[in-house]
Amino acid sequence: MSQYRVPVVWSPDTRLHDPGHEVWVGVTTAATEVAARVDVILETLRDAGHRLVEADGSGDEVLESVHDAGLLAFLRTAHERWLQGPYGDLVGQDRVVPYLFPTPAMTDGLPTRAAVTVHAEAGRYAYDTMTLVGPGTWRAARAAAGCASYAASLVGTGERTAYALCRPPGHHATRAGFGGSCYLNNAAVAAEALRRGGAAKVGIVDLDAHHGNGTAAVFYERGDVLYGSVHVDPGAGWFPHVVGYADETGSGDGQGATRNLPLPPGTGDEAWLGAVRDLAEWTSGSCDALVVSLGVDAARDDPESPLLVSQEGYRAAGSLLGGTGLPAVVVQEGGYHLPTLGGLVAAYLAGHAAG
Ligand SMILES: [Zn+2]
């Protein structure tokens, strides 16, 4: 039996985002979400015989339906505005970093206005200090979202499964906010594109080690897109800390359309796959298309999470989700251990294609 060759949708522009560094607990640290991720995945999938397809640059209308216009305008212009400011000369900072966050702790019910400086305005859209905006960030994030919508269009025209090599990742980006190394929500774009392409109900299964707070928020009140996630328990002290708990189940029309399955640090294949099986059964029962948020940072070697999933575990997750028989867009999320990253993605796709 010959293996199904999954189309790998990618764009050279996704290499243009160079985070340079992060600021974590006030200290400058090396970036982990680096452009080399694109190349190790691309090379491994090419060697595994999958078909590389360059995205066609379309998809901006879907992007605009997912995200607030203010966020899009900010990301498009922020770095240019930063360069016009004094930040390089004053402190040597060449990336956009927020300076304050106008949360209720600051505004406390007062009427508020947009800040006039970019270092103050940044905190209106950024919710952490780890997700800096550099010269190529907008083009890369937009290209990643374009990969997601193009992959959805391939599935809409009869492809059984398509993989979108999205980078930077997306599942932490909310409608009007960015953080967690994510700027635009690629999985939400894929789900929305599948809906527009005729799918009545789309299921999103998020395998990234961290809860996809952005995707969850975008669809929390909608019944036409299910969101299910297996991730390290935020209550054990992991990102995104304040959301991602099991009792968050959706609201309004979306009541019951969200499922969070948090797992303790140290969890390995057996319990993790049990949760993936639950989510596969949950979505296959009522959805007619699937989006998989394929974060491979739950793997044992990954420096960004304490989960201990093996490469075989990712292959088995692929066969569970591929076994649903649903047309699927697989969207790349996290995964930061460069020596094993390509192999984990390839193992997932091999399982999904065979499932
Ligand atoms: Zn993650």
Side-chain angles (χ1 to χ4, degrees), residues 37-278:
R37 297 177 66 241
V38 173
D39 293 294
V40 298
I41 294 173
L42 211 52
E43 280 161 26
T44 316
L45 296 184
R46 185 196 288 125
D47 291 349
H50 296 296
R51 290 180 280 136
L52 307 192
V53 183
E54 210 168 307
D56 66 355
S58 65
D60 281 356
E61 335 75 63
V62 190
L63 185 59
E64 284 159 16
S65 76
V66 168
H67 286 293
D68 173 77
L71 171 70
L72 297 176
F74 179 81
L75 289 173
R76 193 166 53 234
T77 60
H79 189 257
E80 212 168 295
R81 292 168 58 207
W82 188 269
L83 292 182
Q84 288 160 9
Y87 315 107
D89 290 343
L90 278 178
V91 293
Q93 177 58 270
D94 63 354
R95 296 292 194 277
V96 179
V97 189
Y99 148 77
L100 58 78
F101 299 92
T103 63
M106 177 185 184
T107 57
D108 201 12
L110 293 174
T112 62
R113 306 172 188 234
V116 296
T117 65
V118 64
H119 66 294
E121 192 192 10
R124 173 175 172 183
Y125 298 107
Y127 62 76
D128 65 33
T129 59
M130 306 183 303
T131 311
L132 312 190
V133 179
T137 301
W138 166 252
R139 283 180 63 193
R142 182 179 174 218
C147 290
S149 63
Y150 190 61
S153 75
L154 294 181
V155 167
T157 52
E159 199 73 58
R160 197 169 80 210
T161 305
Y163 167 77
L165 208 181
C166 298
R167 186 270 163 180
H171 74 151
H172 297 307
T174 58
R175 182 167 287 280
F178 67 100
S181 300
C182 300
Y183 301 86
L184 299 172
N185 197 310
N186 309 312
V189 164
E192 195 65 47
L194 287 169
R195 282 283 291 113
R196 289 175 175 216
K201 193 180 249 196
V202 176
I204 302 175
V205 174
D206 192 330
L207 301 180
D208 190 277
H210 307 97
H211 175 252
N213 59 299
T215 317
V218 168
F219 298 112
Y220 203 63
E221 296 184 349
R222 282 175 53 173
D224 60 340
V225 179
L226 303 188
Y227 176 76
S229 176
V230 51
H231 49 268
V232 63
D233 186 359
W238 289 87
F239 193 92
H241 299 279
V242 296
V243 293
Y245 291 81
D247 60 0
E248 297 156 23
T249 55
S251 72
D253 290 345
Q255 186 60 55
T258 295
R259 276 193 73 191
N260 290 329
L261 303 177
L263 296 171
T267 298
D269 284 358
E270 198 180 333
W272 186 77
L273 285 169
V276 176
R277 183 176 291 106
D278 265 12

